[in-house]
Amino acid sequence: MTVTAPYRSALPAGRDGITRTLRAEWTKFRTVRGWMITTVAAALVTMLLGLLFAVGSRTSCSVGPVEVACPAVPLGPGGEAVQDRFFFANQTLTGDGSITARVTSMTGVITYPPPDHDKLVSGLVPWAKAGIMIKASAAPGSSYAAVTLTGRHGVRMQDDFTHDTAGRPGGVTAAAPRWLRLTRSGGTLTGYESPDGTRWTEIGTARPAALPATVRAGLFVTSPSDMTVKANTMGGSIVQARFTQASAVFDRVEVRGRASGAWRGDDVGDDGGKTDWERYHRPSGLLQAGGTLTVTGSGDIAPSRDGVRVESTLTGVVLGLILVIVVAVMFVTAEYRRGLIRTTLLAEPRRGRVLAAKAAVAGAVAFVTGLTAGAVAVPLSVAVLRAGGNHVLPVSPLTEVRVVAGVAALFAATAVLAVALGALYRRSVAAVTTGIVLLVVPYVIATASVLPDAASEWLTRLSPAAGFAILQSIPEYAHVTGHYTPSDGYYPLAPWAGMAVLCLYAALALGLAVTRLRRRDA
Amino acid sequence: MRRELHAEWTKLRTVAAPGWLLLAVVALTAAASAGVAATVTCPPAGCAYDVPKLGLVGVQLGQAVVAILAVLVIGGEYGTGMIRTTLTAMPRRAAVLAAKAAVLTGATLAAGTAAVLASMLAGRLILPGNGFVPAPGQALLSLGDGPTLRAAAGSVLYLALVALLGLGVATAVRESAVAIGVVLGLLYLFPIVIGMFADEGWRHLLYAIGPSTAGLTVQVTTGLRELPIGPWTGLGVLAAWAAGALLCGGLMLRARDA
């Protein structure tokens, strides 16, 4: 009887680990020429659409027929673009001190509001402001803190454009005047209000960024435009703004500390333009009669939203995402179509690991693609836009980095979602369509159609399109009148929260795909 | 041609996917329209919504499903290799494509009619509860109203033309995933790209040549004068896109190997 030893391969055993699976998947991806080309195309279209938009946008300003440089937009202490226009009756104040005033009346006019746009209506817009202020100088954009009565939001304390604290609600009448007080102690300003000038309530404190030793302290009045929004039949909306003006009567005004004593009037941020109302009926200014000061003004003290937002150079991202979806889906479905999946699962029987490796490779490739596209498109397009005379709303470098990284994150999360969909459906058409319907369609419908605002907001809250919030560079301010909808670039969720919604969808889909892959026959 | 039609009808009828997709067209269109109708409110002071367009907003979602169906009608055959059998049995390739187009159009028209009627019914039931008041002398979203009827009938035709566009693109591209990407890209990207341009001339041009923007003008009943293109002309633009895609696909089908 002969005994034959079983055959043993002389080859060393193959090493086993996630890196092997990753390498195998990366090789599969890398060696299909069409996928690499499409991936590069995804980056290119993102950049090119941004550049196309930048090159096609030009802004010029003219006085009569003569073209002139556009006036510089003031920047607030935080570097953000601001509107800083109001009438300021002020004294200089050196060192610590305080200003106290009683407001006995606040009235205003709104020119030609709807429905017929044919009347001058007396009334106040919700964020008309009349109050007391301590400001670094009369230059627009300089640091300040103010305690102010508003048209419909009661007493507020605001500082440096972006901060707003609510005080007691309600308006003012001659029978129920409102007392306001602002005290300076070093770099800290404290706001108070009182119904009678004896019982004072603290509203809050503020530490404006840059207050010199000598500041302006005084009374101010301003009134932002009255705004209505009309849906545009071609998608988006048309915002209509109308001139308004407010007047307030102050008495018992008292400036304590080393003050100059005499009142001077500054039309802060005045650009020389005057409406017919200001020319023929009531100019902005200060009227003094005994101890009573009447201040009239128009404008706003708030972060500005007029200008091109940084992320508007990223419209091409949607097109890039469609390409990412197609490639990532085919990365999985092509294996089913060609039967390669059986080989893949023989080589690596841990099916969850196979799908995880696929998601990781597709996600990483998409991340790098998105990062490249964003890092080129954003700075380049912004530079081209600025060269074309456009006012691009300035953002902090950190925000710009977040927007660029946001493109990468959007691409990566979308690729993972698409890989999962491909594994769930095994058919390219159904998977690609589901990907597009989940991500691109809600975005398009919410931002570029005539969908009502409420529906748009729910779409960008609940659907994976919430992830686009990560590209929003200008935050929404509750104390600034504006049309805050996804079509204006304002998402209902915070940037990272929106991104988290998209990631949640991707994670859920991937989890589901792993369970299905484990249970089903390949 | 009868033979080809019969063959294509048998294929469409006996595979599970097209039936489900046609049902999905109806369900998704109606559900999206109803969902939007439920979120809108009209304050007592009045609102400026274009009610027929609002009631038919689900078509914007339903068109995606129509596109899948259209792409699968030929892309599925390339995926499985069935196309070789088809072309062996019916060597007249143009007739095969025409038969596919005819069967697809018929199926889409049927599903589209159901989807549009369901959307209108949903709007009619939901919108009055949200403050929408019908104009005196007529019911809300009534087919008896000329522009509303045009919007409804036009939406059905719109869906059929989207199907033909999808069929043409898929015939030209052959790979289903790429075809669906191209079709959905064409349908959904124009509105986004329009939003990029501040210049009125560019906006009008893009609106007038975009297959979905121009095509959906057929749903607009108010403010038509502000639009660069009329409702039927707009649908004509989409028809031109579909015809162009079918022509391209047809020529490539004749010229190429299967």
Side-chain angles (χ1 to χ4, degrees), chain B residues 150-235:
Chain B
R150 184 250 297 153
S155 299
V156 176
L157 292 177
Y158 173 84
L159 289 174
L161 288 171
V162 166
L164 291 177
L165 174 68
L167 180 67
V169 170
T171 313
V173 175
R174 295 197 280 193
E175 175 68 61
S176 312
V178 178
I180 197 73
V182 171
V183 176
L184 296 187
L186 280 177
L187 291 179
Y188 289 113
L189 284 184
F190 270 89
I192 289 286
V193 176
I194 290 173
M196 279 170 54
F197 287 89
D199 180 54
E200 199 73 350
W202 276 104
R203 288 171 65 92
H204 280 187
L205 178 71
L206 286 169
Y207 184 94
I209 62 168
S212 59
T213 46
L216 281 174
T217 312
V218 84
Q219 293 186 340
V220 179
T221 62
T222 58
L224 266 170
R225 242 176 291 159
E226 296 161 40
L227 290 174
I229 198 161
W232 292 115
T233 339
L235 207 59

Side-chain angles (χ1 to χ4, degrees), chain A residues 211-226:
Chain A
L211 278 190
T214 301
V215 293
R216 307 286 191 97
L219 316 168
F220 79 99
V221 171
T222 191
S223 178
S225 300
D226 179 41

Side-chain angles (χ1 to χ4, degrees), chain B residues 72-96:
Chain B
L72 277 183
V73 161
I74 190 143
E77 294 209 19
Y78 278 104
T80 56
M82 173 75 174
I83 188 74
R84 288 187 282 274
T85 316
T86 303
L87 294 182
T88 312
M90 301 179 284
R92 288 188 305 158
R93 297 190 172 186
V96 171

Side-chain angles (χ1 to χ4, degrees), chain A residues 53 315 319 337 429 432-433, chain B residues 68 175-177 180 189 192 196:
Chain A
F53 162 70
T315 317
L319 186 53
R337 200 169 135 197
V429 179
V432 169
T433 313
Chain B
I68 309 185
E175 175 68 61
S176 312
I180 197 73
L189 284 184
I192 289 286
M196 279 170 54

Side-chain angles (χ1 to χ4, degrees), chain A residues 44-410:
Chain A
L44 284 180
V45 290
T46 307
M47 294 176 211
L48 287 180
L49 271 181
L51 269 179
L52 188 72
F53 162 70
V55 171
S57 308
R58 293 208 149 262
T59 310
S60 57
C61 303
S62 54
V63 176
V66 187
E67 201 164 299
V68 294
C70 290
V73 176
L75 299 184
E80 69 284 346
V82 296
Q83 279 180 287
D84 201 8
R85 176 142 196 229
F86 58 98
F87 195 88
F88 195 22
N90 61 87
Q91 307 184 7
T92 55
L93 174 69
T94 307
D96 292 350
S98 77
I99 174 167
T100 307
R102 183 172 84 162
V103 188
T104 55
S105 139
M106 184 175 173
T107 54
V109 65
I110 301 171
T111 56
Y112 312 111
D116 299 325
H117 303 283
D118 59 348
K119 280 194 213 80
L120 297 163
V121 175
S122 56
L124 290 167
V125 287
W127 285 106
K129 301 176 190 75
I132 53 179
M133 178 186 282
I134 289 180
K135 189 168 170 73
S137 71
S142 59
S143 221
Y144 74 93
V147 176
T148 171
L149 194 63
T150 59
R152 227 169 286 160
H153 295 278
V155 168
R156 320 287 292 198
M157 177 158 179
Q158 301 186 337
D159 68 285
D160 283 358
F161 304 96
T162 53
H163 307 127
D164 172 52
T165 314
R168 197 160 59 88
V172 62
T173 57
R178 311 280 297 246
W179 292 72
L180 310 172
R181 175 176 287 166
L182 191 58
T183 62
R184 175 180 190 188
S185 163
T188 307
L189 283 85
T190 313
Y192 303 89
E193 63 158 321
S194 161
D196 50 16
T198 49
R199 292 173 293 135
W200 289 93
T201 330
E202 186 182 316
I203 307 168
T205 58
R207 296 187 61 84
L211 278 190
T214 301
V215 293
R216 307 286 191 97
L219 316 168
F220 79 99
V221 171
T222 191
S223 178
S225 300
D226 179 41
M227 228 186 59
T228 43
V229 179
K230 190 171 145 258
N232 184 347
T233 36
M234 276 174 60
S237 47
I238 303 167
V239 174
Q240 296 172 317
R242 287 166 295 273
F243 174 81
T244 71
Q245 188 186 52
S247 295
V249 180
F250 299 87
D251 60 6
R252 316 266 186 99
V253 182
E254 188 185 357
V255 182
R256 283 196 188 160
R258 279 186 291 145
S260 55
W263 292 104
R264 54 175 286 183
D266 281 297
D267 208 343
V268 176
D270 179 29
D271 55 6
K274 292 271 175 279
T275 57
D276 281 354
W277 172 266
E278 289 169 296
R279 250 182 243 132
Y280 304 120
H281 294 271
R282 180 160 203 171
S284 296
L286 164 70
L287 290 174
Q288 251 178 296
T292 306
L293 291 92
T294 304
V295 183
T296 301
S298 177
D300 203 2
I301 309 170
S304 165
R305 31 178 289 155
D306 301 328
V308 185
R309 284 167 296 115
V310 165
E311 69 269 29
S312 54
T313 61
L314 288 172
T315 317
V317 164
V318 196
L319 186 53
L321 285 178
I322 292 185
L323 297 181
V324 167
I325 290 174
V326 170
V327 170
V329 161
M330 286 176 77
F331 188 35
V332 181
T333 53
E335 293 215 12
Y336 280 98
R337 200 169 135 197
R338 312 267 176 223
L340 180 64
I341 188 76
R342 291 187 280 274
T343 316
T344 306
L345 295 182
L346 270 179
E348 172 55 278
R350 280 163 294 194
R351 298 188 170 186
R353 187 176 272 194
V354 171
L355 207 54
K358 271 199 184 300
V361 167
V365 169
F367 189 88
V368 174
T369 313
L371 197 63
T372 318
V376 174
V378 172
L380 197 61
S381 307
V382 166
V384 172
L385 277 170
R386 293 214 163 111
N390 302 287
H391 169 54
V392 181
L393 291 169
V395 293
S396 69
L398 215 59
T399 308
E400 198 165 323
V401 166
R402 190 246 298 158
V403 171
V404 169
V407 179
L410 263 179

